[in-house]
């Protein structure tokens, strides 16, 4: 058991010999527990140096070793759902030396990635895709007469998503040779919610797993388990039986998230991911006040709202901590709904509530709302239902990379008739626009970034007339139209180049009157957004200028038409030319 994260690299002589899974397969079984101990020590050290996903990887150390020991990877297929748990897999597949670069610019990706390694069979950043992908691979191999084994490792949290059950249902119909491993640790990022989690927890008391077996055998899977996922003497024989059996196989293992590190075992939510260990610094003379994040401000706002409005309900798909709804869940438990990893259900649940005179606020990451897009169109927008979407992690999110960046929500929302889209620039504007969206009759979305703002003092929220921009400064020749949290960068550019600056606040509806006025006096208009240029706020402005036959030049600054890889958010902004110097350079180059 480890009680502290090693600050210097631990001695791992056996692990150091494992440069590929073929090296692992040459070991006698008796050495696997020692390898697990050294792998756990190295994982603790490396994540301590880089930060990143933590508890999930510690929980699958033995499983990762056992799978690579019995499979013939990379010929056999191994898919890790979500990817939070893939760090041990990366270490054992030739990337041990590169682990100190994970999540950093030009370093290893934070999740499995096809282009990174032949051992990464499928990219997995969002949850619950593994069984579908694995089934596709198994069927493709069968069509080509290949005999490779295919394994999907899915956590019990990811099993709550409908997509996982769609894949299980289809797998039974095809009778494919597929092994699904349920890594049952009673956790996703937060504690699991819903009937499946309750069912698994209750029926694990049945040591033979008979009741749990019935659930999956009803889907024509051959069930094996539950098996202790940390005990090689149980794990290896169970895996061997499942891998050598024909047809759909389901192996149920129980693990402990954060296994082997005492603080993570005690607090698996807090240790889901960690920041890197910084060198010890002298304490400040006066302790600084903790600056709230945009998510913190949303959490406070919705609690204040619910205090005075009994219609308010909060819905989130397994992101109660990330969206800062913990206080709301305590104070207004009867109006809080964590639906687990089920974004489609979250959106339509809100639609049903809106039909019965409640006012749902759906707190969801921008990248995850993509998973509920049909429901957003069919169940919400077409029916013009009164729902507020609080889109956290909008824009570039830093080290989690392209799978988690919220770069497309403006594009996929602005095409929906009746949808209002708001882009607050700071903390006060977030409160103002959340309140405005809540009071609006119909669907509305407020997008805000990960992390902290500029420290703007927060006062009572003010209702903003839909489409009303706010002028920031008056300049000459060109005007910057800012959409969202890059206002300080825009201000620095506008002051240096003596340009007009407007905080637009709304992508839809636009402040047409102000744009007409600016178009009459400024030959060049510049749009700025923390969003993809293609289809974003700049496109909305361009379409309006074209419709009104304005002849102004338009320079659209935003995220370019390529995938922005993992790095710090500031590095990503710099790469996209969205820091103040990049904005200045782009404008000067255009001029």
């Amino acid at each position: 058991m480890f009680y502290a994260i090693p600050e210097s690299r631990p001695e791992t002589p056996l692990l150091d010999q494992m440069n590929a899974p073929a090296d692992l397969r040459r070991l006698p079984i008796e050495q696997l527990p020692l390898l697990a101990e050294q792998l756990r020590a190295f994982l603790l050290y490396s994540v301590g140096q880089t930060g990143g996903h933590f508890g999930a990887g510690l929980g699958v150390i033995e499983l990762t070793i056992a799978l690579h020991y019995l499979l013939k990877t990379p010929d056999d297929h191994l898919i890790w759902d979500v990817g939070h748990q893939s760090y041990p897999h990366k270490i054992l597949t030739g990337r041990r030396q590169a682990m100190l670069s994970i999540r950093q610019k030009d370093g290893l990706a934070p999740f499995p990635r096809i282009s990174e390694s032949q051992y990464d069979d499928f990219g997995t950043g969002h949850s619950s895709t593994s069984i579908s992908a694995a089934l596709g691979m198994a069927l493709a191999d069968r069509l080509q007469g290949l005999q490779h084994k295919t394994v999907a490792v899915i956590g019990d949290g990811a099993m709550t998503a409908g997509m996982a059950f769609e894949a299980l249902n289809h797998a039974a119909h095809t009778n494919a040779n597929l092994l699904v491993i349920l890594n049952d640790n009673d956790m996703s990022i937060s504690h699991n919610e819903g009937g499946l989690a309750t069912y698994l927890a209750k029926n694990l008391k049945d040591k033979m797993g008979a009741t749990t077996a019935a659930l999956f055998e009803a889907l024509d899977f051959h069930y094996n388990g539950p098996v202790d996922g940390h005990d090689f003497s149980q794990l290896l024989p169970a895996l061997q039986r499942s891998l050598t059996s024909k047809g759909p196989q389901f192996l149920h293992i129980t693990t402990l998230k954060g296994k082997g590190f005492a603080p993570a075992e005690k607090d698996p939510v807090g240790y889901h991911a960690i920041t890197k260990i910084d060198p010890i610094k002298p304490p400040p003379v006066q302790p600084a006040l903790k600056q709230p994040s945009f998510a913190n401000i949303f959490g406070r706002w919705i609690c204040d709202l619910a205090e005075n409005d009994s219609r308010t309900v909060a819905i989130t798909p397994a992101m109660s901590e990330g969206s800062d709804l913990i206080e709301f869940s305590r104070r207004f438990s009867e109006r809080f709904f964590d639906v687990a990893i089920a974004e489609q259900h979250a959106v339509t649940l809100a639609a049903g509530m809106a039909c019965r005179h409640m006012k749902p606020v759906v707190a969801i990451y921008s990248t995850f709302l993509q998973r509920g897009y049909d429901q957003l169109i069919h169940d919400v927008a077409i029916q013009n239902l009164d729902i507020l979407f609080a889109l956290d992690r909008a824009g570039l999110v830093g080290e989690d990379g392209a799978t988690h960046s919220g770069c497309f929500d403006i594009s996929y929302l602005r095409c929906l008739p009746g949808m209002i889209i708001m882009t607050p620039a700071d903390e006060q504007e977030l409160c103002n626009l959340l309140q405005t969206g809540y009071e609006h009759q119909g669907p509305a979305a407020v997008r805000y970034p990960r992390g902290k703002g500029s420290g703007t003092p927060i006062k009572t929220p003010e209702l903003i007339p839909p489409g009303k921009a706010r002028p920031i400064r008056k300049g000459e020749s060109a005007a910057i139209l800012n959409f969202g949290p890059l206002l300080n960068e825009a201000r620095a550019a506008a002051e240096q180049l003596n340009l007009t600056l407007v905080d637009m606040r709304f992508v839809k509806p636009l402040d047409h009157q102000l744009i007409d006025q600016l178009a009459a006096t400024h030959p060049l208009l510049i749009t700025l957004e923390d969003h993809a240029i293609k289809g974003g706020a700049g496109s909305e402005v361009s379409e309006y200028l074209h419709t009104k036959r304005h002849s102004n030049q338009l320079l659209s600054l935003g995220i370019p038409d390529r995938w922005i890889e993992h790095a710090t958010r500031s590095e990503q902004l710099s790469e996209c030319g969205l820091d103040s110097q990049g904005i200045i350079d782009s404008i000067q180059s255009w001029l």
Side-chain angles (χ1 to χ4, degrees), residues 241-562:
R241 285 193 301 272
S242 297
L243 288 170
T244 54
S245 300
K246 298 293 185 182
Q249 306 293 314
F250 195 96
L251 176 59
H252 182 180
I253 72 169
T254 59
T255 62
L256 184 62
K257 191 172 183 179
K259 172 69 174 177
F261 183 62
E265 289 188 9
K266 185 177 180 180
D267 181 14
V269 175
Y271 280 91
H272 170 73
I274 64 171
T275 57
K276 66 180 180 180
I277 299 173
D278 289 324
I280 297 175
K281 299 176 182 178
V285 177
Q286 292 182 339
L289 293 175
K290 184 178 179 182
Q291 185 178 334
S293 67
F294 282 98
N296 297 151
I297 293 164
F298 164 76
R300 296 174 189 175
W301 169 82
I302 196 171
C303 285
D304 291 344
L305 186 72
E307 193 73 56
N308 299 302
D309 190 340
S310 61
R311 301 176 305 146
T312 306
V313 293
I315 300 171
T316 186
M319 286 295 154
S320 54
E321 273 88 10
S323 296
D324 200 14
L325 285 171
I326 298 300
E327 182 65 21
F328 186 98
S329 70
R330 291 172 181 153
R331 291 173 56 187
F332 309 101
S333 58
E334 74 285 356
R335 288 188 272 158
F336 173 70
F337 301 92
D338 183 339
V339 302
I341 303 173
E343 294 85 0
Q344 295 173 319
H345 169 60
V347 175
T348 304
L349 176 72
M353 289 185 171
C355 286
R356 298 305 303 154
H357 317 300
M358 300 303 286
K359 180 71 186 196
V361 178
V362 179
I364 188 169
Y365 291 6
S366 167
T367 186
F368 296 145
L369 184 57
Q370 295 163 185
R371 296 164 67 102
Y373 190 54
D374 179 66
Q375 290 70 29
L376 184 64
I377 296 173
H378 182 271
D379 301 335
V380 175
I382 289 178
Q383 303 188 95
N384 196 40
L385 292 178
D386 199 12
I387 300 171
L388 174 62
F389 293 90
L391 303 187
D392 198 350
R393 271 64 165 181
L396 295 167
V397 297
E399 291 85 352
D400 282 343
T403 57
H404 283 58
S405 288
C407 300
F408 310 109
D409 52 85
I410 292 176
S411 299
Y412 66 68
L413 289 174
R414 75 181 188 88
C415 58
L416 303 181
M419 176 67 71
I420 284 185
I421 309 166
M422 292 162 278
T423 58
D426 57 36
E427 298 91 329
Q428 180 62 50
E429 284 296 301
L430 174 60
C431 292
N432 293 343
L433 294 176
L434 284 168
Q435 194 69 35
T436 299
Y438 185 84
E439 298 294 340
H440 172 72
Q441 297 300 303
V446 180
R447 68 184 311 265
Y448 49 95
R450 182 181 189 177
K452 298 176 173 60
S454 56
T456 303
I458 302 172
K459 296 179 280 190
T460 303
E462 173 189 352
L463 288 180
I464 309 298
K468 184 65 174 176
R470 57 168 179 158
I472 303 297
R473 78 181 304 272
K474 189 173 182 179
E476 299 175 354
S477 71
I480 301 177
L481 281 58
N482 174 74
F483 294 87
L486 301 178
L487 181 61
N488 284 341
E489 289 80 0
R491 192 193 313 269
E495 290 174 352
Q496 179 166 329
L497 301 176
N498 191 22
L499 306 179
T500 294
L501 174 61
V502 176
D503 180 25
M504 294 300 294
R505 291 173 165 158
F506 294 84
V507 176
K508 186 179 180 183
L510 284 172
D511 191 332
H512 293 156
Q513 181 179 4
L514 181 61
I515 292 178
D516 289 339
Q517 293 172 358
L518 293 173
T521 55
H522 297 72
L524 172 63
L525 300 182
I526 303 150
T527 61
L528 177 64
E529 58 191 303
D530 183 10
H531 184 276
I533 293 175
K534 298 283 188 180
S539 296
E540 184 81 13
V541 173
S542 175
E543 290 162 13
Y544 176 72
L545 293 174
H546 177 74
T547 299
K548 300 296 289 187
R549 299 188 179 183
H550 289 304
S551 59
N552 303 70
Q553 297 182 61
L554 178 66
L555 171 60
S556 292
L557 302 179
I559 299 169
D561 189 26
R562 65 174 187 272

Side-chain angles (χ1 to χ4, degrees), residues 96 132 135 199:
R96 182 181 66 253
S132 296
L135 177 59
Y199 181 87

